[in-house]
């Protein structure tokens, strides 16, 4: 008999069906994933953006939740109390639209979908604490969404106003600007138009500066997301300038950040929704044409007309004149398709010599072009010569008393002059607009407001919450909330005077529900408050938040706003909700994002049934970095399945050999080398998960460890003499197996649990401490160093891992290949990157 490690038969393939079902039952029965609390342990709040219950998980869900699960399991094994909850963003237009199409009540459709998706999620072996599950369409949740509305109302942050809003005719509801993508509804993809309605708003603009300034606190957020939010808030400093309209004896005010170009303003432009539209139509000779043009352009979305869109510039001359407040010259007033009511005042001065869009407009309609800024060291251009708007620095020309000033100095001087002359005022402007929270739909949280002829607008008392959404409604009507047709809901008595009154029939935007759900998770089942202040103080902020980049503005900005309001109300100790943000990439097939419309869906159920949850998880985590798109590959899934079976065979064979006494003392392979690989892998995997969040490279390191263990096993079976000073083969392999199983536990939890118990481990593997690496054991005795000459690879040398730079440089210069490349030239310097590279720089 071979005196090394005997070859003991092991199962060829990981029996995932039996193993996964077994441990999912065991974990549920033992309450393994229930949130623990111990004051002496640090907390870790790990959260993935909760899903809309569409009825089916897709691979994007699997990826998102698997990422969060690895991070949660890792922190738990590192000794943290982990809060890792799950819930359902259950209100919204899709459920109502689906109910209309299918003849099923939205509540029934939604709850059925939740039940199915919950079972799908359970089948993935995720660590969610289901005792904290929440569903936003249930009264025990939306009662507190309504409480949040009342808090906003009391603090002067909720108000009602008439406004032109984005209107989706297919969904028959208002959309926020953020919900219009490319001129279409973000939900149903229908073209979006405009409609004038009374709406409820939340005054998010009151927090614009704080939302912008506090982005600097979010150093662990992707720079891309912070930039997107900063651009959306769009803070700009400028001046309101008043252009007199002699025919109306009144003024049109424009906002500009380029008051240094006022002398080049040769026309005025209005957004088609501007309050002056009707006035200039009445004053001018082309009133009907002006109104028709404005109606046509106003039907387009802001996105279609925005500055970032390449569209043909269109306008119509109203025939009415205004006066430039600095030149005194009359300029024509136009209505233009690229002017937005959402920015500034909805009126813009046209400066074609220094704004490319204005130049295109002026050339199309034959309007005057007047340069007022000359580039440094260049001859002043004439208007006819301007082929491209100049937007760089320079000095003022054609600007009266301001000629010769740099345009930077002129900004301040002209702002001062505008205020002194009474024709302008400094102002800070924001692109951000108040959050429109009204929706003319049924399936949403009712707005807790009552209208009384005697008392006016009355907030529902908190003691009367929730305002329950009635079940018996007629769905399918358009343009009006179904609640408006429900007399039992609408007709009530005023809570203040007791006289007949009418309820608000709009419901809240579903983003209100998701703007605070992370707080509800901290206080599961709380009945007398939205959340307990002490619980929020314990768990907030969320330490790790994972979700799609598509929510960079919508959800994340709203959540930050709500957190700040609650902080100001004394209910939270933090001003930002999410410390670290990971925006995972999409799952694609054939280069396109998976979607039903593309017909390229891969069902998670099919993958779990065929390969198991551990394989599905490992594939979506290994195939690409978490923040990059992942291209689906059937071969990649099969490869991950083979890897897990390889782990299964390795560990079960080791356990069988150990139990059979197949290890013989004093023989075996180089156990010291294996131990070095083990401890280097512990170090690398810990860094990749805990610091870098590069889960793909963490799995790669585990795969390399498995390869090393197989190599060691084969060498030991051959009876190769071991290092007498090192550990025994059995001890080295026992340590390697124990480490492997624990490192694998966050990624393939079922397999790791089964193997942990098969090797005789006590308790759950997920309750074990994360392995700690021994720096001495992980140290390399030697290192292979790349040698370059002037940046070109010439040789590779092996040196002591801790060799000083001078010794490494000498070894590099002694290389025959390096000598040939240097060719007698003078060595200017030698650049040394320890353990990796030497670059010999020659002249």
């Amino acid at each position: 008999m071979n005196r090394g490690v005997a070859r003991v038969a092991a199962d060829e393939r990981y029996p995932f069906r039996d193993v996964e079902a077994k441990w999912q039952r065991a974990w549920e029965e033992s309450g393994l994933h229930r949130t623990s609390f111990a004051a002496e342990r640090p907390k870790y709040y790990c959260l993935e953006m909760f899903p809309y219950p569409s009825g089916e998980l897709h691979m994007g869900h699997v990826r998102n939740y698997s990422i969060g699960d690895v991070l949660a399991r890792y922190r738990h094994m590192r000794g943290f109390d982990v809060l890792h909850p799950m819930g359902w963003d259950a209100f919204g237009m899709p459920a109502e639209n689906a109910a209309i199409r299918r003849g099923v009540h939205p509540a029934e459709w939604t709850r059925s979908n939740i039940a199915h998706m919950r079972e799908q999620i359970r089948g993935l072996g995720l660590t969610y604490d289901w005792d904290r599950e929440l569903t936003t369409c249930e009264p025990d949740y939306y009662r507190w969404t309504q409480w949040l509305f009342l808090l906003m109302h009391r603090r002067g942050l909720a108000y009602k106003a008439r406004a032109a809003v984005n209107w989706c005719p297919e969904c028959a509801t208002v959309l926020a600007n953020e919900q219009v993508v490319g001129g279409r509804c973000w939900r149903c993809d229908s073209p979006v138009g405009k409609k004038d309605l009374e709406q409820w708003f939340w005054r998010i603009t009151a927090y614009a500066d704080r939302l912008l300034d506090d982005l600097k606190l979010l150093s662990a957020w992707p720079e891309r997301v912070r930039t997107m939010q900063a651009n959306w808030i769009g803070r700009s400093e400028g001046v309101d300038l008043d252009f007199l309209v002699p025919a109306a004896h009144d003024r049109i005010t424009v906002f500009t950040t380029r008051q240094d170009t006022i002398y080049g303003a040769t026309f005025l432009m209005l957004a088609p929704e501007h309050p002056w539209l009707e006035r200039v139509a009445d004053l001018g000779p082309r009133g009907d044409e002006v109104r028709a043009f404005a109606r046509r352009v106003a039907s387009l979305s802001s996105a279609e007309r925005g500055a970032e869109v390449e569209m043909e510039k269109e306008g119509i001359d109203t025939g009415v004149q205004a006066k430039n407040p600095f030149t005194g010259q009359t300029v024509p007033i136009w209505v233009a398709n690229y002017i937005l009511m959402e920015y500034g005042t909805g009126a813009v001065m046209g400066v074609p010599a220094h704004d490319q869009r204005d130049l295109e407009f002026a050339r199309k309609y034959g309007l005057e072009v007047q340069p007022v800024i000359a580039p440094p060291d260049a001859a002043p251009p004439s208007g006819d010569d301007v082929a491209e708007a100049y937007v760089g620095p320079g000095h003022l020309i054609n600007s009266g008393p301001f000629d010769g000033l740099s345009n930077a100095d002129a900004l301040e001087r002209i702002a001062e002059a505008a205020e002194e002359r009474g024709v302008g005022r400094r102002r800070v402007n924001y692109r951000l607009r108040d959050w429109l929270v009204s929706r003319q739909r049924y399936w949403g949280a009712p707005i807790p407001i009552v209208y009384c002829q005697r008392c006016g607008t009355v907030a529902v008392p908190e003691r009367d919450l929730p305002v329950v959404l009635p079940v018996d409604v007629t769905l399918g009507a358009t343009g009006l909330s179904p609640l408006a047709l429900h007399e039992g809901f609408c007709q009530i008595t005023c809570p203040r005077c007791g006289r007949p009154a009418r309820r608000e029939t709009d419901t809240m935007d579903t983003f209100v529900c998701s703007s605070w759900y992370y707080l509800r998770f901290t206080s599961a089942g709380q009945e007398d408050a939205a959340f307990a202040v002490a619980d929020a103080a314990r768990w907030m902020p969320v330490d790790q938040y994972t979700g799609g980049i598509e929510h960079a503005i919508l959800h994340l900005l709203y959540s930050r706003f709500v957190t700040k309001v609650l902080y100001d109300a004394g209910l939270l100790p933090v001003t930002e909700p999410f410390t670290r943000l990971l925006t995972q990439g999409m799952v694609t097939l054939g280069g396109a994002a998976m979607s039903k419309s593309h017909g390229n869906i891969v069902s998670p159920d099919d993958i779990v049934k065929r390969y198991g949850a551990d394989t599905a998880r490992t594939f979506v985590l290994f195939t690409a970095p978490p923040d990059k798109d992942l291209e689906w590959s059937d071969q990649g899934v099969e490869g991950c399945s083979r890897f897990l079976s390889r782990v299964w065979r390795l560990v079960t064979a080791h356990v069988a050999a150990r139990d059979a006494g197949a290890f013989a003392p004093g023989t075996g392979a180089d156990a010291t080398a294996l131990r070095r690989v083990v401890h280097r892998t512990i170090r690398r995997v810990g860094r990749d998960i805990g610091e870098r969040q590069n889960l793909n490279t963490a799995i790669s390191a585990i795969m390399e460890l498995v390869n090393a263990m197989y190599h060691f096993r084969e060498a030991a079976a051959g009876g190769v003499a071991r290092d007498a000073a090192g550990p025994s083969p059995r001890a080295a392999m026992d340590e390697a197996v124990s480490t492997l199983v624990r490192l694998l536990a966050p990624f393939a939890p079922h397999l790791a649990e089964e193997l942990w118990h098969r090797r005789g481990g006590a308790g759950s593997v997920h309750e074990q401490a994360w392995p700690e690496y021994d720096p001495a054991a992980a140290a390399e005795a030697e290192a292979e160093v790349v040698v370059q000459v002037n940046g070109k690879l010439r040789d590779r040398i092996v040196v002591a891992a801790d060799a000083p730079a001078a010794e490494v440089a000498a070894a590099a210069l002694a290389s025959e290949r390096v000598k040939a490349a240097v060719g007698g030239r003078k060595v200017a310097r030698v650049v040394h990157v320890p353990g990796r590279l030497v670059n010999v720089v020659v002249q």
Side-chain angles (χ1 to χ4, degrees):
M1 173 180 164
N2 192 302
R3 297 181 64 220
V5 180
R7 296 181 183 275
V8 180
D11 295 336
E12 284 299 305
R13 196 173 183 91
Y14 164 43
F16 62 86
R17 291 187 182 90
D18 294 337
V19 169
E20 291 180 357
K22 168 187 173 181
W23 287 113
Q24 287 170 19
R25 285 194 303 270
W27 294 336
E28 185 169 356
E29 290 169 2
S30 67
L32 179 69
H33 301 146
R34 290 196 189 102
T35 306
S36 61
F37 175 81
E40 69 275 10
R41 290 199 295 263
K43 67 93 177 178
Y44 187 75
Y45 187 174
C46 184
L47 186 63
E48 296 87 65
M49 295 180 185
F50 66 168
Y52 170 73
S54 60
E56 293 286 343
L57 290 185
H58 53 69
M59 292 310 301
H61 288 126
V62 175
R63 191 182 193 200
N64 184 9
Y65 306 154
S66 297
I67 291 168
D69 197 57
V70 168
L71 301 176
R73 289 182 185 275
Y74 170 76
R75 291 293 175 179
H76 183 75
M77 295 177 76
R78 297 289 301 186
F80 286 75
D81 276 336
V82 175
L83 174 58
H84 191 211
M86 173 51 69
W88 311 97
D89 193 8
F91 271 140
M93 295 177 287
E96 188 168 343
N97 291 344
I100 293 170
R101 289 193 302 268
R102 302 172 190 215
V104 178
H105 195 280
E108 179 183 344
W109 189 82
T110 299
R111 288 168 185 148
S112 174
N113 288 348
I114 287 173
H116 178 62
M117 292 178 71
R118 186 190 296 117
E119 289 309 305
Q120 288 183 295
I121 290 175
R122 287 181 184 274
L124 292 170
L126 302 166
T127 58
Y128 294 130
D129 181 353
W130 289 104
D131 289 346
R132 293 175 183 259
E133 180 183 12
L134 63 81
T135 304
T136 62
C137 67
E138 298 295 348
D140 64 350
Y141 183 86
Y142 68 72
R143 168 188 182 182
W144 302 110
T145 301
Q146 293 171 343
W147 166 85
L148 180 62
F149 185 99
L150 296 179
L151 177 70
M152 294 284 184
H153 195 261
R154 286 196 304 272
R155 298 181 72 82
L157 297 171
Y159 67 95
K160 198 169 191 181
R162 193 165 190 84
V165 296
N166 301 310
W167 178 259
C168 174
E170 176 67 22
C171 296
T173 194
V174 168
L175 302 176
N177 286 339
E178 302 94 324
Q179 294 168 316
V180 180
V181 180
R184 293 179 174 272
C185 174
W186 78 300
R187 283 291 194 190
C188 72
D189 202 39
S190 297
V192 173
K194 293 289 185 179
K195 193 168 186 176
D196 200 38
L197 291 174
E198 284 279 338
Q199 301 288 300
W200 280 98
F201 294 84
W202 281 6
R203 207 180 302 274
I204 191 173
T205 53
Y207 283 73
D209 279 330
R210 287 170 64 182
L211 288 167
L212 185 62
D213 294 343
D214 286 357
L215 288 172
K216 66 179 179 292
L217 304 176
L218 304 177
S219 58
W221 280 35
E223 183 61 30
R224 176 187 177 191
V225 174
R226 289 191 291 169
T227 299
M228 290 170 72
Q229 290 214 355
N231 290 341
W232 189 260
I233 295 166
R235 187 181 192 273
S236 55
E237 297 181 9
V239 175
D240 279 342
L241 292 172
D242 299 328
F243 282 69
L244 178 66
V245 182
H249 304 289
D250 204 348
R251 290 172 171 78
I252 293 177
T253 300
V254 306
F255 173 79
T256 180
T257 60
R258 293 299 308 275
Q259 59 270 22
D260 55 324
T261 65
I262 181 62
Y263 282 82
T266 57
F267 54 96
L268 201 64
M269 293 173 289
L270 303 179
E273 307 89 349
H274 197 282
W276 265 85
L277 190 283
E278 285 297 327
R279 296 182 71 181
V280 295
D282 289 340
L283 290 169
R286 307 173 63 190
D288 291 342
E289 294 176 67
V290 169
R291 292 185 183 94
F293 174 83
R295 282 195 301 270
R296 177 170 64 82
V297 174
S299 67
L300 302 174
S301 72
S302 299
E304 289 176 290
R305 294 161 48 200
E308 67 278 6
V309 176
E310 291 295 329
M311 63 176 294
E312 183 180 357
K313 309 299 181 289
E314 282 190 276
I316 186 169
D317 187 355
T318 66
V320 181
Q321 303 284 314
K323 279 191 175 182
N324 184 314
F326 275 74
T327 68
Q329 296 176 340
T330 58
V331 297
I333 301 174
W334 286 67
V335 180
N337 66 343
Y338 65 98
I339 306 303
L340 303 179
M341 196 64 216
E342 289 87 350
Y343 182 76
T345 65
V348 173
M349 62 183 198
V351 186
H354 305 291
D355 183 286
Q356 188 62 33
R357 293 183 306 157
D358 293 354
L359 180 61
E360 293 171 11
F361 190 84
R363 293 303 188 208
K364 179 175 181 177
Y365 293 105
L367 299 171
E368 181 185 358
V369 178
Q370 172 68 290
V372 291
I373 297 175
D377 305 321
S382 68
D384 293 339
D385 295 334
V386 175
E388 183 177 354
Y390 180 70
V391 296
H395 62 276
L396 268 61
I397 58 173
N398 304 319
S399 297
F402 303 100
D403 278 355
L405 288 177
S406 71
N407 60 318
D409 290 339
L411 287 169
E412 180 63 22
R413 291 281 297 276
I414 292 177
E416 290 176 355
E419 291 180 329
E420 290 171 359
R421 300 178 189 184
V423 296
R425 299 150 299 283
R426 290 180 175 88
R427 182 161 77 93
V428 176
N429 187 64
Y430 299 89
R431 182 176 185 265
L432 181 69
R433 289 294 178 261
D434 283 336
W435 180 5
L436 194 162
V437 298
S438 289
R439 296 294 180 268
Q440 291 69 47
R441 297 304 296 250
Y442 161 67
W443 194 237
I447 294 176
I449 292 292
V450 171
Y451 302 104
C452 173
Q453 286 189 345
R454 179 176 181 179
C455 304
T457 300
V458 180
V460 173
E462 287 184 17
R463 65 178 180 273
D464 294 339
L465 298 180
V467 176
V468 177
L469 193 67
V471 175
D472 53 334
V473 296
T474 302
L475 298 175
T478 61
L480 197 64
S481 168
L483 294 178
L485 307 175
H486 192 292
E487 290 190 7
F489 178 81
C490 295
Q491 306 303 322
I492 62 164
T493 57
C494 174
R496 186 177 294 169
C497 71
R499 297 190 178 193
R502 177 177 58 87
R503 283 196 192 279
E504 172 61 72
T505 58
D506 282 359
T507 54
M508 279 184 260
D509 178 10
T510 184
F511 283 100
V512 176
C513 299
S514 61
S515 70
W516 73 279
Y517 79 110
Y518 49 91
L519 296 169
R520 185 65 176 172
F521 277 138
T522 68
S523 297
Q526 187 81 16
E527 295 183 357
D528 58 354
F531 55 89
V533 173
D535 289 340
R538 162 64 177 166
W539 291 109
M540 289 297 293
V542 174
D543 296 280
Q544 175 64 56
Y545 200 33
T546 306
I549 191 69
E550 66 271 18
H551 296 294
I553 295 171
L554 286 159
H555 162 62
L556 292 173
L557 190 65
Y558 295 156
S559 297
R560 296 182 61 221
F561 164 57
V562 167
T563 297
K564 293 179 187 303
V565 172
L566 293 170
Y567 171 83
D568 290 349
L571 299 173
L572 284 180
V574 298
T575 61
E576 288 290 339
F578 313 120
T579 299
R580 188 167 189 170
L581 176 68
L582 191 160
T583 53
Q584 88 279 357
M586 296 185 298
V587 180
T588 63
L589 182 59
M594 286 189 182
S595 72
K596 292 180 181 178
S597 62
H598 292 154
N600 62 352
I601 290 290
V602 174
S603 168
D605 288 354
D606 292 343
I607 299 301
V608 171
K609 182 178 179 180
R610 183 175 179 185
Y611 296 102
D614 284 345
T615 293
R617 292 165 57 112
T618 303
F619 171 76
V620 297
L621 296 169
F622 170 66
T623 308
D627 59 338
K628 305 299 182 185
D629 288 351
L630 182 160
E631 175 68 13
W632 185 264
S633 165
D634 292 339
Q635 293 80 8
V637 176
E638 179 65 40
C640 287
S641 176
R642 288 196 301 270
F643 165 67
L644 295 182
S645 290
R646 196 162 182 252
V647 172
W648 172 263
R649 291 192 299 273
L650 175 68
V651 177
T652 56
H654 168 73
V655 170
R658 181 198 65 189
D659 293 348
F663 283 91
T667 63
D670 187 353
T672 300
L674 176 62
R675 193 162 189 266
R676 181 181 302 118
V677 174
V678 168
H679 285 269
R680 292 185 69 199
T681 304
I682 295 171
R683 178 178 61 191
R684 180 176 168 187
V685 173
R687 289 176 178 174
D688 282 352
I689 298 176
E691 299 173 22
R692 301 168 61 205
Q693 295 186 339
N694 281 358
L695 308 185
N696 58 314
T697 56
I699 295 175
S700 179
I702 295 172
M703 289 177 173
E704 291 173 13
L705 172 60
V706 170
N707 289 338
M709 292 169 69
Y710 266 102
H711 177 76
F712 173 82
R713 180 168 170 262
E714 293 300 318
V720 178
R722 70 178 179 88
D723 180 357
S728 72
R730 172 171 175 168
M733 196 65 174
D734 276 345
E735 181 186 31
V737 166
S738 173
T739 299
L740 169 63
V741 172
R742 284 179 287 163
L743 294 182
L744 194 62
F747 302 97
H750 308 89
L751 173 61
E753 188 76 282
E754 179 70 16
L755 293 177
W756 179 257
H757 285 271
R758 289 203 175 210
R759 61 169 293 279
S764 171
V765 68
H766 304 292
E767 293 294 323
Q768 306 309 307
W770 187 258
E772 297 289 343
Y773 77 92
D774 180 346
E780 283 283 6
E782 294 181 329
E784 183 180 72
V785 175
V786 170
V787 183
Q788 299 174 338
V789 176
N790 285 351
K792 293 185 178 181
L793 176 64
R794 297 301 183 185
D795 202 357
R796 298 176 188 271
I797 60 174
V798 176
V799 297
D802 57 353
E807 183 178 322
V808 177
L813 292 170
S815 162
E816 293 300 325
R817 291 182 179 178
V818 171
K819 289 179 180 178
V822 171
R825 289 176 291 173
K826 181 179 179 181
V827 176
R829 65 183 185 279
V830 177
V831 179
H832 177 224
V833 180
R836 293 176 56 193
L837 178 143
V838 172
N839 185 29
V840 179
V841 181
V842 298
Q843 295 178 339

